[in-house]
Every structure is written in structure tokens, then in C-alpha cells.
Amino acid sequence: MYSEKVMDHFEHPRNVGEIENASGVGTVGNAKCGDIMRIFLDIDDDGIIRDVKFKTFGCGAAVATSSMATELVKGKTVQEAMKVTNKAVMEALDGLPPVKVHCSLLAEEAIHAALWDYAQKKGIVIEGLEKPKSDIHEGEEQEEEEY
């Protein structure tokens, strides 16, 4: 089952919405489950994430991981935000069921996609940042799944 923190972030998500003229916007999805996550970052001239919002279409775990990820990067530098991994999101939520771990990966990828967008707009390179995938399964070999 879900932890109290997961339920709290699902029932009372933080930082929901959009940022107009955001410094960076990242959208990632998971074609296998249909989750789509979009993260908006407002980054100041010192590279500090002043505000962050999200819009997520998906299950409760997707909403909870989006909410927690925004909490983890708000007020951080771009380099600190780069260190927010899916594992950090899961730990902050006191864990996720194994079948929902992909939601935390979406959150990490959405943050990285928004940082990539920011770097592209600014014409800068963020150390350690790679071009994001639009789907977290992109590049994997095709798997046949039976339902």
C-alpha cells in the first residue's frame, strides 16, 4: 500500500499549475501506463529555482511524485536540482510499491527535461545533463507484454 506521505501528496498536491513564461518546461510520459508529467521552472539570474509548478495526468502515485519532486527542487540551485533522483523522490515519500517506481522516474526525467529546456533557452550547458527522453521507455528494446 501507499505511505502516509504518498497519500498526503496525492490528496493535497503542492505546486500544481503552470508558470507563464517559465524559464524551463519539461514534459515526459510513459506510453505503457499513460502518465504524462509537465514541470515548469522559474529560475533566477543566479541559477536558483524560485518557483516550480507541475501538471500531471496519471495515477495517484504520479501526482504524489510530481508534488514531492517540486518540493525537493524549489529554492535549490540548478546543480542541486540535478541531484534530485527518482530514488530521492521515493525516499522523501517513504517508498512506493514496486509497480509504481516508474512514477518517480517520470518525476526525475521531467525535472531534467525542464532543466534541458532552460539550458537551451539560455544557450548554456548544465554539467551532467543529457538530452531528455519524451517517453521514459525510449531507447528500450521493444518488449511484448501480455495482459
Side-chain angles (χ1 to χ4, degrees), residues 101-115:
V101 169
H102 69 274
C103 294
S104 64
L105 189 57
L106 269 178
E108 176 185 339
E109 290 292 328
I111 291 166
H112 287 181
L115 289 171

Side-chain angles (χ1 to χ4, degrees), residues 37-94:
M37 196 176 287
R38 180 171 288 153
I39 301 263
F40 301 83
L41 299 175
D42 179 22
I43 303 171
D44 71 13
D45 292 337
D46 296 322
I48 308 237
I49 298 169
R50 291 287 167 213
D51 198 10
V52 55
K53 301 274 186 213
F54 80 92
K55 287 185 125 180
T56 293
F57 176 85
C59 65
V63 171
T65 56
S66 302
S67 174
M68 180 55 82
T70 62
E71 289 286 283
L72 292 174
V73 300
K74 195 172 199 173
K76 301 283 194 296
T77 66
V78 167
Q79 281 304 323
E80 288 170 328
M82 282 289 299
K83 295 177 184 162
V84 174
T85 62
N86 70 308
K87 187 176 182 205
V89 172
M90 283 196 303
E91 287 174 359
L93 287 168
D94 294 334

